[in-house]
Amino acid sequence: MYMLAPLAEHYDDGFGAIGDAFRNAAQTLRKTNGGDGSASLDDLPEIYLLRHAVELFLKSGIIIMHRRMKLRYDSEPHSSATPLMRTSSGKWKPLLNTHDILGLYGYWRALIDGNRDRLIKLMSRTADLDVPTELDGWIKTLGTADPNSDYFRYPVSKNPAADKAKSPFKEVAPQSLFAAESTEYVKALVLENAKGEVVKTFKYDKATSKAVTEAARGAAEMLSNFHFMMRVELAGGW
């Protein structure tokens, strides 16, 4: 029912539905860009959209579980319009003000693992609450690469050292541009001086962001499934 209802009517205040919208946009962008193998920066917007979807799915799950189990947010009631999340240090912080998916995931998973029996009793059917280990790895990869939700949005982020690895073109020594006995098709920018001497070479590295891209796609897909399950089993379709 939530798919056809205004966001204000959603059990999770609309976080999950917006998460699905960002995930769908990422999938559309990927198809438009022709999938993988591009020498451009088109993968960065896709990863950003997926990363944001992951963040929204986690926030949705936290809100749903708190409200369905009537768990207080520290001193705030479970129905609070300003939900909180508990950090690994035990402190509470506003859910809406954080972009830390490592912290969000840690709390999301703690709610599931610590309340498994209670959640199962609240479900209309018995859904699988086992969180696959693959998700742990995907979240770690994605959250480490972009802890502040700015790495894939801007040319510069709060981690200047990591920004250098963002571009798929890397400076290499001219003599290493073509590997011996390699049949690989090379994409590169070669700069020469006035004498025709090679001074700089920038080679396309197709492995750039590959691990993060795969992690973002895997995490967004799996959390979308968890989100749908919670909406059906814990929120009555709302």
Side-chain angles (χ1 to χ4, degrees):
M1 288 181 283
Y2 75 89
M3 293 180 178
L4 302 176
L7 293 176
E9 298 293 329
H10 291 203
Y11 195 84
D12 68 344
D13 297 336
F15 279 87
I18 298 298
D20 269 328
F22 271 85
R23 174 176 162 271
N24 292 340
Q27 292 176 333
T28 300
L29 182 62
R30 182 185 180 190
K31 292 177 183 177
T32 302
N33 291 336
D36 301 311
S38 172
S40 68
L41 298 169
D42 293 343
D43 60 320
L44 298 182
E46 180 199 351
I47 300 173
Y48 170 70
L49 292 172
L50 291 171
R51 188 220 180 277
H52 193 54
V54 165
E55 179 182 322
L56 291 169
F57 288 141
L58 292 172
K59 290 179 176 179
S60 168
I62 290 170
I63 292 172
I64 289 173
M65 287 186 280
H66 264 271
R67 290 180 177 173
R68 190 67 179 89
M69 292 188 286
K70 294 181 169 57
L71 299 176
R72 297 183 66 85
Y73 298 105
D74 195 15
S75 60
E76 294 291 318
H78 69 276
S79 57
S80 174
T82 56
L84 307 174
M85 65 163 283
R86 188 164 55 198
T87 66
S88 57
S89 64
K91 295 181 179 180
W92 291 87
K93 62 188 301 184
L95 189 70
L96 306 186
N97 293 349
T98 182
H99 302 291
D100 176 18
I101 61 173
L102 290 174
L104 287 165
Y105 178 70
Y107 188 50
W108 176 88
R109 177 147 194 174
L111 285 172
I112 293 177
D113 294 341
N115 299 279
R116 182 179 300 270
D117 293 341
R118 189 174 177 184
L119 287 168
I120 289 175
K121 289 180 180 179
L122 290 170
M123 290 180 174
S124 55
R125 290 166 289 273
T126 302
D128 185 1
L129 286 175
D130 291 333
V131 180
T133 56
E134 294 96 323
L135 185 56
D136 294 340
W138 290 332
I139 291 293
K140 182 178 180 181
T141 297
L142 185 59
T144 301
D146 188 11
N148 302 300
S149 190
D150 62 352
Y151 183 78
F152 299 106
R153 280 199 291 169
Y154 305 112
V156 293
S157 68
K158 294 179 181 179
N159 189 354
D163 288 334
K164 295 180 181 180
K166 195 176 300 184
S167 173
F169 281 92
K170 306 290 191 298
E171 184 172 4
V172 299
Q175 60 269 25
S176 68
L177 193 59
F178 297 98
E181 300 180 359
S182 174
T183 58
E184 177 189 7
Y185 181 75
V186 175
K187 298 177 183 178
L189 172 64
V190 179
L191 300 179
E192 299 178 342
N193 60 19
K195 298 179 181 180
E197 300 168 331
V198 175
V199 292
K200 279 191 176 184
T201 52
F202 301 94
K203 184 179 179 180
Y204 171 64
D205 179 5
K206 63 182 179 181
T208 298
S209 298
K210 182 177 181 180
V212 180
T213 302
E214 292 176 350
R217 290 171 181 167
E221 177 71 20
M222 190 169 289
L223 286 170
S224 176
N225 293 335
F226 265 100
H227 158 253
F228 184 76
M229 178 272 289
M230 288 185 180
R231 298 301 285 270
V232 173
E233 297 292 332
L234 296 175
W238 287 97

